[in-house]
Amino acid sequence: MLQDIQFNLAFKAEPDAKLSGPDHPWSIHLDVQSADLVATIEGRMPRAFAWQQFAGRIAFHGEQAKHLALLLDIDLPSTGPFDISAAMHTADDAITLNSLKGRIKGFSGLHDIELAGGEFIIDRNALLKLELQALIADMPLALQLETNPPSPPATEDTPRPVTAALQIADVELDLQGTMTAVDGQPHLAFEGQLQGQNFDNLTKLLGRELP
């Protein structure tokens, strides 16, 4: 739970909010720090508190993913140290992260992950789009995930269609499913199809024989 961890926040902005405007964009720098995590957001907007028109960068540095998961209120697998950064901008009630870069140290026998690019978009209706390129043990990984609006009439509990595709180690996994809210958290259910000429590289990556 987020309340189980103490965070320190440091916020700086210039010029004075009353003086900001088209000729004097409002620049901000925000640091969120805990014992094992530093998150930084810096950038500018055309006037003070115009968060829907922000453009800048966001970065995360930490010793393990646990505190990042708590900060973002999502589930993440265990990792070692990580450095992640991305360009960030907001527009049309959506948040976009692109030019993703960074490195995630493997944990409990897992390989390191090197982020080589990608884009993450989420809007106020929690519809999201994710494209990610990375390297794991020098093998390319490509991930795509997108949610779509539910069929009307819809409520917060109505399942949303989800499509996803994962390419790694000469294997491609295509998924179709739904996302529903369970106790306020997203729950995914998928059916998929696995394709590939052979599983030699995947077996090498996983470090175990596949059935």
Side-chain angles (χ1 to χ4, degrees):
M1 299 294 291
L2 188 59
Q3 60 265 31
D4 295 333
I5 295 180
Q6 180 178 349
F7 290 94
N8 295 317
L9 280 75
F11 180 78
K12 181 174 66 175
E14 57 182 9
D16 185 280
K18 295 180 180 179
L19 300 178
S20 67
D23 296 329
H24 302 282
W26 203 49
S27 298
I28 68 162
H29 186 104
L30 172 65
D31 285 323
V32 181
Q33 186 170 0
S34 73
D36 294 319
L37 171 69
V38 177
T40 300
I41 298 177
E42 56 184 353
R44 59 173 50 190
M45 56 197 77
R47 62 184 183 280
F49 306 111
W51 303 107
Q52 72 279 9
Q53 296 174 284
F54 173 82
R57 293 196 64 79
I58 186 170
F60 299 97
H61 167 77
E63 295 303 316
Q64 54 181 315
K66 178 181 68 174
H67 288 178
L68 179 60
L70 290 170
L71 179 64
L72 300 178
D73 194 26
I74 59 176
D75 291 327
L76 292 173
S78 297
T79 74
F82 61 88
D83 282 287
I84 302 171
S85 65
M88 176 181 179
H89 68 269
T90 60
D92 299 326
D93 297 317
I95 299 174
T96 299
L97 304 180
N98 50 32
S99 301
L100 290 163
K101 299 291 183 182
R103 190 172 185 87
I104 303 170
K105 183 72 175 176
F107 186 73
S108 297
L110 298 177
H111 293 283
D112 294 357
I113 301 175
E114 182 176 348
L115 301 179
E119 183 175 61
F120 174 84
I121 303 172
I122 186 167
D123 67 14
R124 63 179 178 178
N125 297 312
L127 298 177
L128 64 87
K129 178 180 180 181
L130 171 65
E131 295 183 0
L132 180 66
Q133 296 86 46
L135 290 172
I136 301 180
D138 296 324
M139 296 183 188
L141 175 149
L143 173 65
Q144 295 179 322
L145 187 146
E146 185 170 2
T147 65
N148 297 291
S151 302
T155 67
E156 292 184 358
D157 298 327
T158 303
R160 300 182 178 192
V162 180
T163 59
L166 173 65
Q167 295 177 325
I168 184 172
D170 302 323
V171 173
E172 181 173 341
L173 177 63
D174 293 314
L175 300 169
Q176 302 283 336
T178 59
M179 181 175 70
T180 54
V182 179
D183 296 328
Q185 296 293 323
H187 177 75
L188 294 170
F190 284 113
E191 292 184 355
Q193 182 178 11
L194 188 64
Q195 302 179 60
Q197 296 295 322
N198 61 70
F199 297 125
D200 293 347
N201 285 334
L202 184 59
T203 297
K204 179 182 176 181
L205 180 65
L206 297 176
R208 67 185 65 180
E209 291 292 333
L210 295 174

